[in-house]
Amino acid sequence: MSSKLDLKMDKLPAHIAIIMDGNGRWAKKKGNIRIFGHQNGVEAVRDTVEGAAEIGLKYLTLYAFSTENWNRPRTEVDALMQLLVSSLEKEKKTLMDNGVRLLAIGDLLSLNNNVRNKLQKVIDETSGNTGLKLTLALSYSGRWEIIKAIKNIAVDIQQNKLDVKDICDKTFNDYLDTQGYPEPELLIRTSGEHRISNFLLWQLAYTELYFTETLWPDFRRGDLYDAIVNFQSRERRFGKISEQICE
């Protein structure tokens, strides 16, 4: 497992996104119910966030709850929402101690009032922090985000706030939940699955993908550093050839 010393600090990705997968399988391996895995996943979040803040990472986005997750059994969804509320309250000190600013993207209006209010409270209380920007993707899906952006663009065209000929990549970026964020340079998915599961579909166009067999509750900052070391060994060409990159 890698340490901070293994990293090239001048070549850190500006933005890392993580699909935190494997909580249920981890719990099943332990002979316990799924929520047990989610509860233990909180420790993985804490250590990963602290590790990211320690190395000076600027943006970390965690896929915490997808729009499709609403289709899970009601008991699991309710337990996840309760866990989110309790975790926000317990982890606020960790965020403040590490200078982490909390943000959120997704269909936040679909969250119940208690969850939304607790979330907004921590967002407000950490808004002055200038270190890592930690974004939770909640009730989020890439398709939902893109459709919402298209609808908002259409409204602005109808109201003569936007001309069709002015629409470009940058324009579209400005209508996404991640407006102002750099695109993720590295996506990590745990648990051995090789999918992006409707996450940041527009933003991941040139993102490096890293898959690990580690189940999320076992993930720690050393695993994050492993992924960064792997990222730093890759040649990113963005459609060019190697010789152009070396020029």
Side-chain angles (χ1 to χ4, degrees), residues 100-118:
V100 177
R101 181 181 179 184
L102 184 68
L103 300 163
I105 59 174
D107 184 11
L108 304 182
L109 291 177
S110 66
L111 303 174
N112 69 51
N113 288 338
N114 185 41
V115 173
R116 195 164 62 249
N117 291 339
K118 295 288 187 184

Side-chain angles (χ1 to χ4, degrees), residues 58-75:
K58 297 185 183 303
Y59 290 84
L60 177 66
T61 300
L62 305 180
Y63 203 6
F65 192 86
S66 73
T67 53
E68 291 80 8
N69 287 156
W70 290 113
N71 297 319
R72 291 186 175 185
R74 181 60 182 271
T75 53

Side-chain angles (χ1 to χ4, degrees), residues 63-128:
Y63 203 6
F65 192 86
S66 73
T67 53
E68 291 80 8
N69 287 156
W70 290 113
N71 297 319
R72 291 186 175 185
R74 181 60 182 271
T75 53
E76 182 174 347
V77 171
D78 288 346
L80 281 168
M81 291 299 111
Q82 291 171 9
L83 179 61
L84 176 60
V85 169
S86 64
S87 297
L88 286 169
E89 293 174 338
K90 292 176 182 177
E91 299 304 322
K92 184 177 69 174
K93 184 178 185 303
T94 298
L95 299 179
M96 297 302 294
D97 288 346
N98 288 277
V100 177
R101 181 181 179 184
L102 184 68
L103 300 163
I105 59 174
D107 184 11
L108 304 182
L109 291 177
S110 66
L111 303 174
N112 69 51
N113 288 338
N114 185 41
V115 173
R116 195 164 62 249
N117 291 339
K118 295 288 187 184
L119 176 64
Q120 189 60 52
K121 186 172 185 289
V122 180
I123 288 174
D124 291 342
E125 290 178 350
T126 62
S127 62

Side-chain angles (χ1 to χ4, degrees), residues 19-48:
I19 300 176
M20 305 178 293
D21 194 20
N23 289 341
R25 276 166 284 170
W26 186 89
K28 187 175 181 180
K29 286 174 65 175
K30 304 288 184 182
N32 218 315
I33 59 175
R34 291 178 57 85
I35 192 60
F36 180 69
H38 297 308
Q39 291 167 343
N40 281 272
V42 173
E43 177 59 32
V45 173
R46 181 187 303 116
D47 197 67
T48 300

Side-chain angles (χ1 to χ4, degrees), residues 81-223:
M81 291 299 111
Q82 291 171 9
L83 179 61
L84 176 60
V85 169
S86 64
S87 297
L88 286 169
E89 293 174 338
K90 292 176 182 177
E91 299 304 322
K92 184 177 69 174
K93 184 178 185 303
T94 298
L95 299 179
M96 297 302 294
D97 288 346
N98 288 277
V100 177
R101 181 181 179 184
L102 184 68
L103 300 163
I105 59 174
D107 184 11
L108 304 182
L109 291 177
S110 66
L111 303 174
N112 69 51
N113 288 338
N114 185 41
V115 173
R116 195 164 62 249
N117 291 339
K118 295 288 187 184
L119 176 64
Q120 189 60 52
K121 186 172 185 289
V122 180
I123 288 174
D124 291 342
E125 290 178 350
T126 62
S127 62
N129 292 345
T130 58
L132 172 70
K133 292 180 176 63
L134 170 65
T135 301
L136 301 181
L138 292 163
S139 192
Y140 172 90
S141 82
R143 289 180 176 178
W144 166 85
E145 182 185 30
I146 289 170
I147 290 170
K148 185 184 70 154
I150 291 170
K151 288 179 178 179
N152 289 335
I153 287 172
V155 169
D156 282 354
I157 290 173
Q158 288 177 336
Q159 296 179 353
N160 296 318
K161 295 178 181 177
L162 180 67
D163 195 304
V164 172
K165 71 176 185 297
D166 293 327
I167 297 175
C168 61
D169 282 10
K170 183 183 182 307
T171 308
F172 198 80
N173 281 330
D174 289 342
Y175 283 84
L176 296 174
D177 280 24
T178 54
Q179 177 189 9
Y181 291 41
E183 293 182 353
E185 294 178 73
L186 173 63
L187 170 73
I188 301 168
R189 181 168 187 150
T190 59
S191 87
E193 300 291 348
H194 293 74
R195 298 185 298 275
I196 58 174
S197 295
N198 206 358
F199 185 41
L200 300 175
L201 296 180
W202 174 270
Q203 297 89 335
L204 294 179
Y206 277 100
T207 301
E208 298 294 324
L209 308 182
Y210 178 87
F211 302 103
T212 173
E213 297 291 329
T214 303
L215 300 175
W216 179 250
D218 291 327
F219 195 90
R220 293 295 183 270
R221 72 185 70 190
D223 298 288

